[in-house]
PDB file of all heavy atoms in Angstrom:
ATOM      1  N   PRO A  61     155.475 158.596  66.735  1.00 87.00           N
ATOM      2  CA  PRO A  61     156.679 158.287  67.509  1.00 87.00           C
ATOM      3  C   PRO A  61     156.926 159.322  68.601  1.00 87.00           C
ATOM      4  O   PRO A  61     156.595 160.512  68.449  1.00 87.00           O
ATOM      5  CB  PRO A  61     157.795 158.296  66.466  1.00 87.00           C
ATOM      6  CG  PRO A  61     157.101 158.134  65.151  1.00 87.00           C
ATOM      7  CD  PRO A  61     155.767 158.809  65.307  1.00 87.00           C
ATOM      8  N   TYR A  62     157.484 158.840  69.705  1.00 84.00           N
ATOM      9  CA  TYR A  62     157.873 159.638  70.835  1.00 84.00           C
ATOM     10  C   TYR A  62     156.690 160.269  71.587  1.00 84.00           C
ATOM     11  O   TYR A  62     156.883 160.865  72.646  1.00 84.00           O
ATOM     12  CB  TYR A  62     158.852 160.759  70.420  1.00 84.00           C
ATOM     13  CG  TYR A  62     160.005 160.242  69.611  1.00 84.00           C
ATOM     14  CD1 TYR A  62     160.097 160.549  68.254  1.00 84.00           C
ATOM     15  CD2 TYR A  62     160.996 159.454  70.195  1.00 84.00           C
ATOM     16  CE1 TYR A  62     161.149 160.077  67.490  1.00 84.00           C
ATOM     17  CE2 TYR A  62     162.055 158.977  69.434  1.00 84.00           C
ATOM     18  CZ  TYR A  62     162.126 159.285  68.086  1.00 84.00           C
ATOM     19  OH  TYR A  62     163.167 158.814  67.338  1.00 84.00           O
ATOM     20  N   ILE A  63     155.478 160.157  71.018  1.00 88.00           N
ATOM     21  CA  ILE A  63     154.293 160.702  71.687  1.00 88.00           C
ATOM     22  C   ILE A  63     153.366 159.567  72.128  1.00 88.00           C
ATOM     23  O   ILE A  63     152.933 159.520  73.270  1.00 88.00           O
ATOM     24  CB  ILE A  63     153.546 161.697  70.766  1.00 88.00           C
ATOM     25  CG1 ILE A  63     154.466 162.879  70.451  1.00 88.00           C
ATOM     26  CG2 ILE A  63     152.256 162.156  71.418  1.00 88.00           C
ATOM     27  CD1 ILE A  63     153.846 163.864  69.483  1.00 88.00           C
ATOM     28  N   ASP A  64     153.084 158.659  71.183  1.00 86.00           N
ATOM     29  CA  ASP A  64     152.251 157.487  71.491  1.00 86.00           C
ATOM     30  C   ASP A  64     153.147 156.310  71.854  1.00 86.00           C
ATOM     31  O   ASP A  64     154.270 156.183  71.338  1.00 86.00           O
ATOM     32  CB  ASP A  64     151.379 157.102  70.302  1.00 86.00           C
ATOM     33  CG  ASP A  64     150.362 158.186  69.977  1.00 86.00           C
ATOM     34  OD1 ASP A  64     150.045 158.995  70.871  1.00 86.00           O
ATOM     35  OD2 ASP A  64     149.865 158.216  68.825  1.00 86.00           O
ATOM     36  N   SER A  65     152.593 155.436  72.708  1.00 87.00           N
ATOM     37  CA  SER A  65     153.314 154.221  73.116  1.00 87.00           C
ATOM     38  C   SER A  65     152.311 153.073  73.260  1.00 87.00           C
ATOM     39  O   SER A  65     151.097 153.281  73.397  1.00 87.00           O
ATOM     40  CB  SER A  65     154.072 154.439  74.428  1.00 87.00           C
ATOM     41  OG  SER A  65     153.157 154.764  75.474  1.00 87.00           O
ATOM     42  N   ILE A  66     152.814 151.867  73.238  1.00 89.00           N
ATOM     43  CA  ILE A  66     151.974 150.677  73.375  1.00 89.00           C
ATOM     44  C   ILE A  66     151.732 150.435  74.864  1.00 89.00           C
ATOM     45  O   ILE A  66     152.680 150.354  75.654  1.00 89.00           O
ATOM     46  CB  ILE A  66     152.627 149.456  72.726  1.00 89.00           C
ATOM     47  CG1 ILE A  66     152.888 149.719  71.231  1.00 89.00           C
ATOM     48  CG2 ILE A  66     151.768 148.214  72.924  1.00 89.00           C
ATOM     49  CD1 ILE A  66     151.643 150.005  70.434  1.00 89.00           C
ATOM     50  N   GLY A  67     150.427 150.292  75.223  1.00 88.00           N
ATOM     51  CA  GLY A  67     150.087 150.084  76.624  1.00 88.00           C
ATOM     52  C   GLY A  67     149.959 148.592  76.977  1.00 88.00           C
ATOM     53  O   GLY A  67     150.893 147.959  77.431  1.00 88.00           O
ATOM     54  N   LYS A  68     148.756 148.002  76.772  1.00 90.00           N
ATOM     55  CA  LYS A  68     148.476 146.610  77.125  1.00 90.00           C
ATOM     56  C   LYS A  68     148.340 145.769  75.868  1.00 90.00           C
ATOM     57  O   LYS A  68     147.785 146.219  74.858  1.00 90.00           O
ATOM     58  CB  LYS A  68     147.172 146.509  77.936  1.00 90.00           C
ATOM     59  CG  LYS A  68     147.158 147.359  79.193  1.00 90.00           C
ATOM     60  CD  LYS A  68     148.051 146.787  80.262  1.00 90.00           C
ATOM     61  CE  LYS A  68     147.908 147.594  81.557  1.00 90.00           C
ATOM     62  NZ  LYS A  68     148.758 147.075  82.646  1.00 90.00           N
ATOM     63  N   ARG A  69     148.832 144.571  75.949  1.00 91.00           N
ATOM     64  CA  ARG A  69     148.637 143.595  74.871  1.00 91.00           C
ATOM     65  C   ARG A  69     147.571 142.585  75.337  1.00 91.00           C
ATOM     66  O   ARG A  69     147.839 141.749  76.201  1.00 91.00           O
ATOM     67  CB  ARG A  69     149.945 142.896  74.536  1.00 91.00           C
ATOM     68  CG  ARG A  69     150.976 143.812  73.875  1.00 91.00           C
ATOM     69  CD  ARG A  69     152.303 143.100  73.710  1.00 91.00           C
ATOM     70  NE  ARG A  69     153.237 143.859  72.874  1.00 91.00           N
ATOM     71  CZ  ARG A  69     153.996 144.854  73.302  1.00 91.00           C
ATOM     72  NH1 ARG A  69     153.973 145.211  74.585  1.00 91.00           N
ATOM     73  NH2 ARG A  69     154.813 145.482  72.469  1.00 91.00           N
ATOM     74  N   ILE A  70     146.380 142.655  74.779  1.00 91.00           N
ATOM     75  CA  ILE A  70     145.222 141.876  75.226  1.00 91.00           C
ATOM     76  C   ILE A  70     144.975 140.719  74.259  1.00 91.00           C
ATOM     77  O   ILE A  70     144.890 140.927  73.033  1.00 91.00           O
ATOM     78  CB  ILE A  70     143.959 142.756  75.337  1.00 91.00           C
ATOM     79  CG1 ILE A  70     144.229 143.979  76.213  1.00 91.00           C
ATOM     80  CG2 ILE A  70     142.794 141.951  75.861  1.00 91.00           C
ATOM     81  CD1 ILE A  70     144.614 143.631  77.627  1.00 91.00           C
ATOM     82  N   ASN A  71     144.838 139.526  74.833  1.00 92.00           N
ATOM     83  CA  ASN A  71     144.497 138.335  74.041  1.00 92.00           C
ATOM     84  C   ASN A  71     142.966 138.262  73.912  1.00 92.00           C
ATOM     85  O   ASN A  71     142.248 138.143  74.919  1.00 92.00           O
ATOM     86  CB  ASN A  71     145.037 137.086  74.741  1.00 92.00           C
ATOM     87  CG  ASN A  71     144.861 135.835  73.885  1.00 92.00           C
ATOM     88  OD1 ASN A  71     144.280 135.870  72.812  1.00 92.00           O
ATOM     89  ND2 ASN A  71     145.373 134.717  74.376  1.00 92.00           N
ATOM     90  N   VAL A  72     142.477 138.329  72.674  1.00 92.00           N
ATOM     91  CA  VAL A  72     141.023 138.308  72.445  1.00 92.00           C
ATOM     92  C   VAL A  72     140.534 136.917  72.038  1.00 92.00           C
ATOM     93  O   VAL A  72     139.364 136.770  71.662  1.00 92.00           O
ATOM     94  CB  VAL A  72     140.638 139.338  71.364  1.00 92.00           C
ATOM     95  CG1 VAL A  72     140.896 140.750  71.857  1.00 92.00           C
ATOM     96  CG2 VAL A  72     141.382 139.066  70.064  1.00 92.00           C
ATOM     97  N   GLN A  73     141.360 135.909  72.089  1.00 92.00           N
ATOM     98  CA  GLN A  73     140.915 134.541  71.851  1.00 92.00           C
ATOM     99  C   GLN A  73     140.194 133.996  73.095  1.00 92.00           C
ATOM    100  O   GLN A  73     140.296 134.568  74.187  1.00 92.00           O
ATOM    101  CB  GLN A  73     142.106 133.654  71.497  1.00 92.00           C
ATOM    102  CG  GLN A  73     142.800 134.031  70.205  1.00 92.00           C
ATOM    103  CD  GLN A  73     144.033 133.191  69.957  1.00 92.00           C
ATOM    104  OE1 GLN A  73     144.641 132.677  70.895  1.00 92.00           O
ATOM    105  NE2 GLN A  73     144.406 133.047  68.686  1.00 92.00           N
ATOM    106  N   GLU A  74     139.484 132.890  72.912  1.00 93.00           N
ATOM    107  CA  GLU A  74     138.832 132.267  74.067  1.00 93.00           C
ATOM    108  C   GLU A  74     139.896 131.600  74.927  1.00 93.00           C
ATOM    109  O   GLU A  74     140.711 130.808  74.448  1.00 93.00           O
ATOM    110  CB  GLU A  74     137.788 131.238  73.618  1.00 93.00           C
ATOM    111  CG  GLU A  74     136.931 130.726  74.761  1.00 93.00           C
ATOM    112  CD  GLU A  74     135.730 129.922  74.275  1.00 93.00           C
ATOM    113  OE1 GLU A  74     135.751 129.485  73.105  1.00 93.00           O
ATOM    114  OE2 GLU A  74     134.785 129.752  75.052  1.00 93.00           O
ATOM    115  N   VAL A  75     139.860 131.888  76.212  1.00 93.00           N
ATOM    116  CA  VAL A  75     140.887 131.445  77.147  1.00 93.00           C
ATOM    117  C   VAL A  75     140.267 130.455  78.122  1.00 93.00           C
ATOM    118  O   VAL A  75     139.125 130.622  78.570  1.00 93.00           O
ATOM    119  CB  VAL A  75     141.484 132.643  77.908  1.00 93.00           C
ATOM    120  CG1 VAL A  75     142.577 132.182  78.882  1.00 93.00           C
ATOM    121  CG2 VAL A  75     142.043 133.663  76.918  1.00 93.00           C
ATOM    122  N   VAL A  76     141.036 129.416  78.449  1.00 94.00           N
ATOM    123  CA  VAL A  76     140.607 128.415  79.427  1.00 94.00           C
ATOM    124  C   VAL A  76     141.334 128.715  80.732  1.00 94.00           C
ATOM    125  O   VAL A  76     142.573 128.667  80.796  1.00 94.00           O
ATOM    126  CB  VAL A  76     140.921 126.986  78.946  1.00 94.00           C
ATOM    127  CG1 VAL A  76     140.471 125.965  79.994  1.00 94.00           C
ATOM    128  CG2 VAL A  76     140.236 126.720  77.620  1.00 94.00           C
ATOM    129  N   LEU A  77     140.544 129.001  81.774  1.00 94.00           N
ATOM    130  CA  LEU A  77     141.096 129.321  83.081  1.00 94.00           C
ATOM    131  C   LEU A  77     140.866 128.152  84.020  1.00 94.00           C
ATOM    132  O   LEU A  77     139.723 127.705  84.210  1.00 94.00           O
ATOM    133  CB  LEU A  77     140.437 130.589  83.640  1.00 94.00           C
ATOM    134  CG  LEU A  77     140.865 130.994  85.053  1.00 94.00           C
ATOM    135  CD1 LEU A  77     142.353 131.331  85.087  1.00 94.00           C
ATOM    136  CD2 LEU A  77     140.030 132.172  85.541  1.00 94.00           C
ATOM    137  N   ASP A  78     141.930 127.637  84.608  1.00 93.00           N
ATOM    138  CA  ASP A  78     141.845 126.520  85.536  1.00 93.00           C
ATOM    139  C   ASP A  78     141.552 127.048  86.940  1.00 93.00           C
ATOM    140  O   ASP A  78     142.300 127.865  87.466  1.00 93.00           O
ATOM    141  CB  ASP A  78     143.165 125.737  85.525  1.00 93.00           C
ATOM    142  CG  ASP A  78     143.050 124.430  86.277  1.00 93.00           C
ATOM    143  OD1 ASP A  78     141.924 124.089  86.697  1.00 93.00           O
ATOM    144  OD2 ASP A  78     144.069 123.748  86.449  1.00 93.00           O
ATOM    145  N   ILE A  79     140.457 126.571  87.546  1.00 92.00           N
ATOM    146  CA  ILE A  79     140.099 126.978  88.905  1.00 92.00           C
ATOM    147  C   ILE A  79     140.779 126.028  89.880  1.00 92.00           C
ATOM    148  O   ILE A  79     140.590 124.811  89.796  1.00 92.00           O
ATOM    149  CB  ILE A  79     138.579 126.953  89.103  1.00 92.00           C
ATOM    150  CG1 ILE A  79     137.907 127.867  88.081  1.00 92.00           C
ATOM    151  CG2 ILE A  79     138.203 127.359  90.513  1.00 92.00           C
ATOM    152  CD1 ILE A  79     136.394 127.800  88.110  1.00 92.00           C
ATOM    153  N   PRO A  80     141.562 126.529  90.806  1.00 91.00           N
ATOM    154  CA  PRO A  80     142.277 125.637  91.743  1.00 91.00           C
ATOM    155  C   PRO A  80     141.306 124.837  92.613  1.00 91.00           C
ATOM    156  O   PRO A  80     140.172 125.249  92.881  1.00 91.00           O
ATOM    157  CB  PRO A  80     143.116 126.604  92.584  1.00 91.00           C
ATOM    158  CG  PRO A  80     143.185 127.860  91.786  1.00 91.00           C
ATOM    159  CD  PRO A  80     141.909 127.942  91.010  1.00 91.00           C
ATOM    160  N   GLU A  81     141.760 123.668  93.042  1.00 92.00           N
ATOM    161  CA  GLU A  81     140.942 122.818  93.911  1.00 92.00           C
ATOM    162  C   GLU A  81     140.816 123.456  95.286  1.00 92.00           C
ATOM    163  O   GLU A  81     141.767 124.012  95.830  1.00 92.00           O
ATOM    164  CB  GLU A  81     141.576 121.433  94.019  1.00 92.00           C
ATOM    165  CG  GLU A  81     140.789 120.457  94.872  1.00 92.00           C
ATOM    166  CD  GLU A  81     141.433 119.086  94.911  1.00 92.00           C
ATOM    167  OE1 GLU A  81     142.278 118.803  94.029  1.00 92.00           O
ATOM    168  OE2 GLU A  81     141.116 118.306  95.832  1.00 92.00           O
ATOM    169  N   GLN A  82     139.605 123.340  95.847  1.00 92.00           N
ATOM    170  CA  GLN A  82     139.336 123.892  97.160  1.00 92.00           C
ATOM    171  C   GLN A  82     138.325 123.020  97.887  1.00 92.00           C
ATOM    172  O   GLN A  82     137.557 122.279  97.259  1.00 92.00           O
ATOM    173  CB  GLN A  82     138.806 125.322  97.050  1.00 92.00           C
ATOM    174  CG  GLN A  82     137.527 125.425  96.252  1.00 92.00           C
ATOM    175  CD  GLN A  82     136.993 126.831  96.208  1.00 92.00           C
ATOM    176  OE1 GLN A  82     137.210 127.621  97.111  1.00 92.00           O
ATOM    177  NE2 GLN A  82     136.266 127.167  95.135  1.00 92.00           N
ATOM    178  N   ALA A  83     138.337 123.087  99.217  1.00 92.00           N
ATOM    179  CA  ALA A  83     137.394 122.336 100.049  1.00 92.00           C
ATOM    180  C   ALA A  83     136.151 123.189 100.268  1.00 92.00           C
ATOM    181  O   ALA A  83     136.243 124.359 100.665  1.00 92.00           O
ATOM    182  CB  ALA A  83     138.035 121.964 101.382  1.00 92.00           C
ATOM    183  N   VAL A  84     134.987 122.583 100.013  1.00 92.00           N
ATOM    184  CA  VAL A  84     133.710 123.283 100.123  1.00 92.00           C
ATOM    185  C   VAL A  84     132.808 122.492 101.063  1.00 92.00           C
ATOM    186  O   VAL A  84     132.737 121.259 100.990  1.00 92.00           O
ATOM    187  CB  VAL A  84     133.039 123.456  98.743  1.00 92.00           C
ATOM    188  CG1 VAL A  84     131.729 124.202  98.880  1.00 92.00           C
ATOM    189  CG2 VAL A  84     133.975 124.183  97.791  1.00 92.00           C
ATOM    190  N   ILE A  85     132.099 123.198 101.951  1.00 91.00           N
ATOM    191  CA  ILE A  85     131.182 122.570 102.898  1.00 91.00           C
ATOM    192  C   ILE A  85     129.761 122.715 102.359  1.00 91.00           C
ATOM    193  O   ILE A  85     129.310 123.823 102.038  1.00 91.00           O
ATOM    194  CB  ILE A  85     131.297 123.203 104.292  1.00 91.00           C
ATOM    195  CG1 ILE A  85     132.724 123.037 104.828  1.00 91.00           C
ATOM    196  CG2 ILE A  85     130.297 122.584 105.260  1.00 91.00           C
ATOM    197  CD1 ILE A  85     132.960 123.717 106.153  1.00 91.00           C
ATOM    198  N   THR A  86     129.056 121.598 102.256  1.00 91.00           N
ATOM    199  CA  THR A  86     127.685 121.601 101.761  1.00 91.00           C
ATOM    200  C   THR A  86     126.713 122.013 102.867  1.00 91.00           C
ATOM    201  O   THR A  86     127.107 122.250 104.014  1.00 91.00           O
ATOM    202  CB  THR A  86     127.305 120.217 101.220  1.00 91.00           C
ATOM    203  OG1 THR A  86     127.375 119.256 102.277  1.00 91.00           O
ATOM    204  CG2 THR A  86     128.267 119.792 100.123  1.00 91.00           C
ATOM    205  N   ARG A  87     125.428 122.087 102.518  1.00 91.00           N
ATOM    206  CA  ARG A  87     124.419 122.504 103.479  1.00 91.00           C
ATOM    207  C   ARG A  87     124.274 121.509 104.628  1.00 91.00           C
ATOM    208  O   ARG A  87     123.951 121.894 105.756  1.00 91.00           O
ATOM    209  CB  ARG A  87     123.079 122.687 102.758  1.00 91.00           C
ATOM    210  CG  ARG A  87     121.980 123.270 103.619  1.00 91.00           C
ATOM    211  CD  ARG A  87     120.741 123.543 102.799  1.00 91.00           C
ATOM    212  NE  ARG A  87     120.240 122.318 102.170  1.00 91.00           N
ATOM    213  CZ  ARG A  87     119.182 122.286 101.349  1.00 91.00           C
ATOM    214  NH1 ARG A  87     118.552 123.401 101.046  1.00 91.00           N
ATOM    215  NH2 ARG A  87     118.798 121.143 100.827  1.00 91.00           N
ATOM    216  N   ASP A  88     124.489 120.221 104.363  1.00 87.00           N
ATOM    217  CA  ASP A  88     124.391 119.210 105.422  1.00 87.00           C
ATOM    218  C   ASP A  88     125.753 118.915 106.056  1.00 87.00           C
ATOM    219  O   ASP A  88     125.986 117.815 106.557  1.00 87.00           O
ATOM    220  CB  ASP A  88     123.764 117.923 104.875  1.00 87.00           C
ATOM    221  CG  ASP A  88     124.455 117.442 103.611  1.00 87.00           C
ATOM    222  OD1 ASP A  88     125.350 118.156 103.112  1.00 87.00           O
ATOM    223  OD2 ASP A  88     124.112 116.359 103.113  1.00 87.00           O
ATOM    224  N   ASN A  89     126.659 119.906 106.008  1.00 88.00           N
ATOM    225  CA  ASN A  89     127.951 119.854 106.705  1.00 88.00           C
ATOM    226  C   ASN A  89     128.853 118.724 106.216  1.00 88.00           C
ATOM    227  O   ASN A  89     129.598 118.118 106.995  1.00 88.00           O
ATOM    228  CB  ASN A  89     127.746 119.729 108.221  1.00 88.00           C
ATOM    229  CG  ASN A  89     127.034 120.923 108.818  1.00 88.00           C
ATOM    230  OD1 ASN A  89     127.236 122.055 108.374  1.00 88.00           O
ATOM    231  ND2 ASN A  89     126.186 120.690 109.804  1.00 88.00           N
ATOM    232  N   ALA A  90     128.813 118.418 104.945  1.00 87.00           N
ATOM    233  CA  ALA A  90     129.735 117.457 104.344  1.00 87.00           C
ATOM    234  C   ALA A  90     130.790 118.234 103.558  1.00 87.00           C
ATOM    235  O   ALA A  90     130.470 119.163 102.808  1.00 87.00           O
ATOM    236  CB  ALA A  90     128.990 116.494 103.424  1.00 87.00           C
ATOM    237  N   THR A  91     132.043 117.849 103.726  1.00 89.00           N
ATOM    238  CA  THR A  91     133.145 118.536 103.063  1.00 89.00           C
ATOM    239  C   THR A  91     133.505 117.803 101.777  1.00 89.00           C
ATOM    240  O   THR A  91     133.738 116.583 101.790  1.00 89.00           O
ATOM    241  CB  THR A  91     134.363 118.603 103.983  1.00 89.00           C
ATOM    242  OG1 THR A  91     134.007 119.263 105.200  1.00 89.00           O
ATOM    243  CG2 THR A  91     135.498 119.369 103.318  1.00 89.00           C
ATOM    244  N   VAL A  92     133.549 118.545 100.675  1.00 91.00           N
ATOM    245  CA  VAL A  92     133.910 117.972  99.383  1.00 91.00           C
ATOM    246  C   VAL A  92     135.005 118.821  98.751  1.00 91.00           C
ATOM    247  O   VAL A  92     135.104 120.025  98.988  1.00 91.00           O
ATOM    248  CB  VAL A  92     132.692 117.898  98.437  1.00 91.00           C
ATOM    249  CG1 VAL A  92     131.662 116.910  98.952  1.00 91.00           C
ATOM    250  CG2 VAL A  92     132.055 119.269  98.262  1.00 91.00           C
ATOM    251  N   SER A  93     135.845 118.169  97.945  1.00 92.00           N
ATOM    252  CA  SER A  93     136.901 118.867  97.207  1.00 92.00           C
ATOM    253  C   SER A  93     136.394 119.142  95.797  1.00 92.00           C
ATOM    254  O   SER A  93     135.965 118.219  95.101  1.00 92.00           O
ATOM    255  CB  SER A  93     138.170 118.014  97.166  1.00 92.00           C
ATOM    256  OG  SER A  93     138.653 117.783  98.473  1.00 92.00           O
ATOM    257  N   VAL A  94     136.491 120.413  95.385  1.00 93.00           N
ATOM    258  CA  VAL A  94     135.906 120.844  94.116  1.00 93.00           C
ATOM    259  C   VAL A  94     136.943 121.637  93.334  1.00 93.00           C
ATOM    260  O   VAL A  94     137.671 122.467  93.901  1.00 93.00           O
ATOM    261  CB  VAL A  94     134.644 121.707  94.345  1.00 93.00           C
ATOM    262  CG1 VAL A  94     134.009 122.098  93.008  1.00 93.00           C
ATOM    263  CG2 VAL A  94     133.636 120.981  95.211  1.00 93.00           C
ATOM    264  N   ASP A  95     137.002 121.352  92.032  1.00 92.00           N
ATOM    265  CA  ASP A  95     137.746 122.216  91.116  1.00 92.00           C
ATOM    266  C   ASP A  95     136.995 122.260  89.793  1.00 92.00           C
ATOM    267  O   ASP A  95     136.027 121.523  89.585  1.00 92.00           O
ATOM    268  CB  ASP A  95     139.184 121.746  90.924  1.00 92.00           C
ATOM    269  CG  ASP A  95     139.250 120.399  90.215  1.00 92.00           C
ATOM    270  OD1 ASP A  95     138.194 119.784  89.999  1.00 92.00           O
ATOM    271  OD2 ASP A  95     140.360 119.953  89.882  1.00 92.00           O
ATOM    272  N   GLY A  96     137.436 123.153  88.900  1.00 93.00           N
ATOM    273  CA  GLY A  96     136.721 123.298  87.631  1.00 93.00           C
ATOM    274  C   GLY A  96     137.516 124.136  86.658  1.00 93.00           C
ATOM    275  O   GLY A  96     138.681 124.500  86.889  1.00 93.00           O
ATOM    276  N   ILE A  97     136.871 124.459  85.538  1.00 94.00           N
ATOM    277  CA  ILE A  97     137.485 125.289  84.502  1.00 94.00           C
ATOM    278  C   ILE A  97     136.453 126.294  84.007  1.00 94.00           C
ATOM    279  O   ILE A  97     135.245 126.034  84.042  1.00 94.00           O
ATOM    280  CB  ILE A  97     138.005 124.429  83.320  1.00 94.00           C
ATOM    281  CG1 ILE A  97     136.910 123.484  82.822  1.00 94.00           C
ATOM    282  CG2 ILE A  97     139.244 123.664  83.713  1.00 94.00           C
ATOM    283  CD1 ILE A  97     137.321 122.657  81.632  1.00 94.00           C
TER     284      ILE A  97
END
Side-chain angles (χ1 to χ4, degrees):
Y62 309 110
I63 298 176
D64 295 338
S65 61
I66 301 299
K68 304 288 185 180
R69 291 174 170 82
I70 307 299
N71 187 356
V72 294
Q73 296 176 334
E74 189 169 18
V75 181
V76 180
L77 176 63
D78 190 6
I79 302 174
E81 181 178 342
Q82 59 177 332
V84 181
I85 300 176
T86 62
R87 187 174 59 183
D88 51 355
N89 297 325
T91 302
V92 293
S93 298
V94 183
D95 66 353
I97 51 177

